[in-house]
Amino acid sequence: MRTVGTFEEVRMLSEGTVGLVPTMGYLHEGHLSLIDAARRECDTVVMSLFVNPLQFDESRDLSVYPRDLERDASLAAGRGVDLLFAPETEEMYPEQPLTRVSVAEITEEMEGAHRPGHFEGVATVVAKLFAGTQATRAYFGRKDAQQLVTVTRMAADLSMPVEVVPVPIIREQDGLALSSRNVFLSEEERTRALAISGSLMEAADAVERGERSSRVLEAIVRAGLAGLEIDYVALADAATARSVETLVADAFLAVAARVGTTRLIDNVSFRVRADGADAERGMLLDAPSILYERDRS
Ligand code: AMP
């Protein structure tokens, strides 16, 4: 694996089909599963690692965001990344960009409503990554469900020659969705955070028993989250990320909540067929994640 800092190096060193895995680093198995998918399907795997200031709506969140390039480089190399693209801010933004990408409608609710400017920052940096790396495919986790819908629609609207590939959520054995921000949780907060995935799984059980009302599903989740500070609970259409009243087409049930000062998001997605609905709950790790092995022992 080579670590490079410019788009030009990425383009010069890439061969054949290029699989891009955009991340903000502090890697965990969620990120590594994106690498695995890219490795299976592409000739050159490029992982980008850039904590994008444009997408942070809280300056504290940006300043405390965990970073460890050496650890990330060794994990990425171990999983088969060819090029680790870790640009300085000056490479990404030589000047304050006057051109921003904004995706309407899809970004209005949920994260968009609670994090002003967030999706414009995400869409702008992802557009730059697509253009600068000339990726053939780009891998995004379902963990950030609204982000996935947003970048998929952006690529289609702007005729970008890249295929956006969704990858399932990776969870700890007890259900907690992996996130770089989990390292901020104390033992007690981590236990409380389990209510997020736990309540989503209860709602998924209800869907599989036939429940279709968003009011009822959201109430199940809110009841399970009692005691946490909730930003939103919403059942949203899979293609538009707009909230729906009834589960009649593919959708996801999304939550954002704070545990102490750490804001966590999670969701479960549903595939609706004529004869019922399946919940895509994500994949459980069979051992505690590297985040905990390294930072808690
Ligand atoms: P981030 O570094 O948080 O910006 O995430 C980079 C990519 O990893 C995004 O496409 C995320 O959706 C994805 N990702 C983060 N956590 C998970 C997870 N637990 N399972 C699957 N994908 C994830």
Side-chain angles (χ1 to χ4, degrees):
M1 186 187 79
R2 293 213 17 203
T3 301
V4 298
T6 65
F7 280 123
E8 195 182 354
E9 289 167 291
V10 172
R11 290 192 301 270
M12 287 200 358
L13 296 167
S14 295
E15 285 170 11
T17 54
V18 177
L20 172 67
V21 179
T23 80
M24 298 202 299
Y26 214 75
L27 302 183
H28 53 66
E29 275 104 347
H31 300 115
L32 302 181
S33 74
L34 303 181
I35 299 175
D36 293 344
R39 190 66 286 167
R40 282 194 295 273
E41 299 172 2
C42 304
D43 299 319
T44 302
V45 176
V46 179
M47 169 171 264
S48 65
L49 196 166
F50 180 63
V51 182
N52 175 35
L54 226 53
Q55 74 188 66
F56 281 81
D57 54 311
E58 291 176 16
S59 58
R60 184 180 177 279
D61 191 25
L62 173 61
S63 61
V64 304
Y65 200 84
R67 296 162 210 240
D68 190 339
L69 179 58
E70 221 173 290
R71 169 184 179 279
D72 287 347
S74 107
L75 289 169
R79 218 56 173 241
V81 168
D82 298 304
L83 297 173
L84 179 64
F85 174 51
E88 298 292 335
T89 307
E90 293 69 39
E91 167 71 10
M92 209 52 136
Y93 301 118
E95 293 183 86
Q96 186 70 359
L98 300 180
T99 307
R100 305 285 175 106
V101 180
S102 109
V103 180
E105 298 184 17
I106 285 168
T107 61
E108 271 170 23
E109 299 179 31
M110 300 180 287
E111 290 300 284
H114 285 85
R115 303 187 63 188
H118 170 66
F119 282 121
E120 191 178 280
V122 169
T124 302
V125 80
V126 171
K128 286 170 67 71
L129 288 167
F130 286 179
T133 64
Q134 305 198 331
T136 319
R137 298 194 187 89
Y139 295 80
F140 287 85
R142 288 196 187 278
K143 162 87 175 2
D144 298 86
Q146 193 177 11
Q147 167 175 286
L148 173 64
V149 183
T150 302
V151 298
T152 304
R153 183 60 186 254
M154 173 192 75
D157 282 350
L158 298 180
S159 307
M160 294 172 166
V162 56
E163 181 191 348
V164 174
V165 184
V167 179
I169 296 175
I170 305 293
R171 301 179 178 283
E172 299 279 359
Q173 283 161 309
D174 55 14
L176 182 69
L178 294 189
S179 163
S180 304
R181 291 185 173 90
N182 289 354
V183 292
F184 296 134
L185 300 172
S186 68
E187 207 66 59
E188 182 264 337
E189 287 172 337
R190 194 189 175 290
T191 304
R192 286 200 288 138
L194 290 176
I196 298 174
S197 53
S199 65
L200 285 170
M201 296 311 144
E202 273 183 55
D205 291 341
V207 167
E208 286 177 342
R209 287 194 306 266
E211 184 56 61
R212 293 291 179 271
S213 154
S214 70
R215 198 179 43 78
V216 173
L217 296 172
E218 289 169 20
I220 291 172
V221 176
R222 282 184 183 273
L225 293 177
L228 297 189
E229 192 192 324
I230 302 172
D231 268 2
Y232 62 81
V233 178
L235 181 69
D237 181 87
T240 65
R242 300 279 230 172
S243 45
V244 294
E245 281 185 14
T246 316
L247 182 61
V248 288
D250 292 358
F252 59 92
L253 183 59
V255 173
R258 276 175 212 270
V259 185
T261 54
T262 307
R263 185 175 183 279
L264 300 175
I265 62 170
D266 195 357
N267 71 87
V268 58
S269 47
F270 303 109
R271 210 167 40 113
V272 178
R273 304 177 317 268
D275 59 340
D278 286 334
E280 138 88 79
R281 297 163 186 246
M283 290 159 59
L284 293 182
L285 290 172
D286 49 21
S289 85
I290 45 175
L291 284 176
Y292 294 98
E293 275 178 324
R294 296 237 173 161
D295 296 308
R296 294 188 166 252
S297 54

Coordinates of all heavy atoms in Angstrom, one line a residue, residues 174 176 180-194 228 259-262 264 292 295-296:
D174 N -23.3 -7.1 20.6 CA -24.5 -6.7 21.4 C -25.4 -5.7 20.6 O -26.4 -5.2 21.1 CB -24.2 -6.1 22.8 CG -23.2 -4.9 22.6 OD1 -23.0 -4.4 21.5 OD2 -22.6 -4.5 23.7
L176 N -24.7 -2.7 19.1 CA -24.2 -1.3 18.9 C -23.6 -1.1 17.5 O -22.6 -1.8 17.2 CB -23.2 -0.9 20.0 CG -22.7 0.5 20.0 CD1 -23.8 1.5 20.4 CD2 -21.5 0.7 20.9
S180 N -16.8 5.7 14.7 CA -15.5 6.2 15.2 C -15.8 7.0 16.5 O -14.9 7.1 17.4 CB -14.9 7.2 14.2 OG -14.7 6.6 13.0
R181 N -17.0 7.5 16.7 CA -17.3 8.3 17.9 C -17.6 7.4 19.1 O -17.7 7.9 20.2 CB -18.6 9.2 17.6 CG -18.3 10.3 16.6 CD -19.5 11.2 16.5 NE -19.3 12.4 15.7 CZ -19.4 12.5 14.4 NH1 -19.8 11.4 13.7 NH2 -19.2 13.6 13.7
N182 N -17.7 6.1 18.9 CA -18.0 5.2 20.1 C -16.8 5.3 21.1 O -17.0 5.0 22.3 CB -18.2 3.8 19.6 CG -19.5 3.5 18.9 OD1 -20.3 4.5 18.8 ND2 -19.7 2.3 18.4
V183 N -15.6 5.6 20.6 CA -14.5 5.7 21.6 C -14.7 6.8 22.7 O -14.1 6.7 23.7 CB -13.1 6.0 21.0 CG1 -12.7 4.8 20.1 CG2 -13.1 7.3 20.2
F184 N -15.6 7.7 22.4 CA -15.9 8.7 23.5 C -16.8 8.2 24.6 O -17.0 8.9 25.6 CB -16.6 9.9 22.8 CG -15.7 10.6 21.8 CD1 -16.3 11.0 20.6 CD2 -14.4 10.9 22.1 CE1 -15.5 11.7 19.6 CE2 -13.6 11.6 21.1 CZ -14.1 12.0 19.9
L185 N -17.5 7.0 24.4 CA -18.5 6.6 25.3 C -17.8 5.9 26.5 O -16.9 5.1 26.4 CB -19.4 5.5 24.7 CG -20.2 6.0 23.5 CD1 -20.9 4.8 22.8 CD2 -21.2 7.0 23.9
S186 N -18.2 6.3 27.7 CA -17.7 5.6 28.9 C -18.5 4.3 29.0 O -19.4 4.0 28.2 CB -18.1 6.4 30.2 OG -19.5 6.4 30.3
E187 N -18.0 3.4 29.9 CA -18.6 2.1 30.0 C -20.1 2.2 30.2 O -21.0 1.6 29.6 CB -18.0 1.4 31.2 CG -18.0 -0.1 31.1 CD -17.1 -0.7 29.9 OE1 -15.9 -0.4 29.9 OE2 -17.7 -1.4 29.1
E188 N -20.5 3.2 31.1 CA -21.9 3.4 31.5 C -22.7 4.0 30.3 O -23.8 3.5 30.0 CB -21.9 4.3 32.7 CG -23.3 4.6 33.2 CD -23.9 5.9 32.7 OE1 -23.1 6.8 32.3 OE2 -25.1 6.0 32.7
E189 N -22.0 4.9 29.5 CA -22.7 5.5 28.4 C -22.9 4.4 27.3 O -23.9 4.4 26.6 CB -21.9 6.6 27.8 CG -22.0 7.9 28.7 CD -21.0 9.0 28.3 OE1 -20.0 8.7 27.6 OE2 -21.3 10.1 28.6
R190 N -21.9 3.6 27.1 CA -22.0 2.5 26.1 C -23.2 1.6 26.4 O -23.9 1.2 25.5 CB -20.7 1.7 26.1 CG -20.6 0.9 24.8 CD -19.4 -0.1 24.9 NE -19.4 -1.0 23.8 CZ -20.3 -1.9 23.6 NH1 -21.3 -2.1 24.5 NH2 -20.3 -2.6 22.5
T191 N -23.4 1.3 27.7 CA -24.5 0.4 28.0 C -25.8 1.2 27.7 O -26.7 0.6 27.1 CB -24.5 0.1 29.5 OG1 -23.2 -0.5 29.8 CG2 -25.6 -0.8 30.0
R192 N -25.9 2.5 28.0 CA -27.1 3.2 27.7 C -27.3 3.3 26.2 O -28.5 3.3 25.7 CB -27.1 4.6 28.3 CG -27.3 4.6 29.8 CD -27.7 5.9 30.4 NE -26.6 6.9 30.3 CZ -26.7 8.1 30.0 NH1 -27.8 8.6 29.5 NH2 -25.6 8.9 30.0
A193 N -26.2 3.4 25.4 CA -26.3 3.6 24.0 C -27.0 2.3 23.3 O -27.5 2.4 22.2 CB -24.9 3.8 23.4
L194 N -26.9 1.2 24.0 CA -27.5 0.0 23.4 C -29.0 0.1 23.2 O -29.6 -0.6 22.4 CB -27.2 -1.2 24.3 CG -25.8 -1.7 24.4 CD1 -25.6 -2.8 25.4 CD2 -25.3 -2.2 23.0
L228 N -32.7 9.0 27.0 CA -31.6 9.5 26.1 C -32.2 10.8 25.4 O -33.4 11.0 25.3 CB -31.3 8.6 24.9 CG -30.6 7.3 25.3 CD1 -30.1 6.6 24.0 CD2 -29.5 7.4 26.3
V259 N -25.8 10.5 23.8 CA -25.6 9.8 25.0 C -24.4 10.6 25.6 O -23.3 10.6 25.1 CB -25.1 8.3 24.7 CG1 -24.9 7.6 26.0 CG2 -26.1 7.7 23.8
G260 N -24.7 11.3 26.7 CA -23.8 12.3 27.2 C -23.5 13.3 26.2 O -24.5 13.8 25.6
T261 N -22.3 13.6 25.8 CA -22.0 14.6 24.8 C -21.9 14.0 23.4 O -21.6 14.7 22.4 CB -20.7 15.4 25.1 OG1 -19.7 14.4 25.3 CG2 -20.9 16.2 26.4
T262 N -22.0 12.6 23.3 CA -21.7 12.0 22.0 C -23.0 11.8 21.3 O -24.0 11.2 21.8 CB -21.0 10.6 22.3 OG1 -19.9 10.8 23.1 CG2 -20.6 10.0 21.0
L264 N -25.0 10.0 18.4 CA -25.0 8.7 17.7 C -26.1 8.6 16.7 O -27.3 9.1 17.0 CB -25.0 7.5 18.6 CG -23.9 7.5 19.6 CD1 -24.1 6.3 20.6 CD2 -22.5 7.3 18.9
Y292 N -12.6 -1.5 20.6 CA -12.6 -1.8 22.0 C -11.4 -2.6 22.4 O -10.8 -2.5 23.5 CB -13.9 -2.5 22.4 CG -15.0 -1.5 22.2 CD1 -15.8 -1.5 21.1 CD2 -15.2 -0.6 23.2 CE1 -16.8 -0.6 20.9 CE2 -16.2 0.4 23.0 CZ -16.9 0.4 21.9 OH -17.9 1.4 21.7
D295 N -8.6 0.0 22.7 CA -8.7 1.2 23.5 C -9.3 0.9 24.9 O -9.3 1.8 25.8 CB -9.6 2.3 22.9 CG -9.0 2.7 21.6 OD1 -7.8 3.1 21.6 OD2 -9.6 2.7 20.5
R296 N -9.7 -0.3 25.1 CA -10.3 -0.6 26.4 C -9.5 -1.6 27.2 O -9.8 -1.8 28.4 CB -11.7 -1.1 26.2 CG -12.6 -0.1 25.6 CD -14.0 -0.5 25.6 NE -14.8 0.8 25.3 CZ -15.5 1.4 26.2 NH1 -15.7 0.9 27.4 NH2 -16.2 2.5 25.9

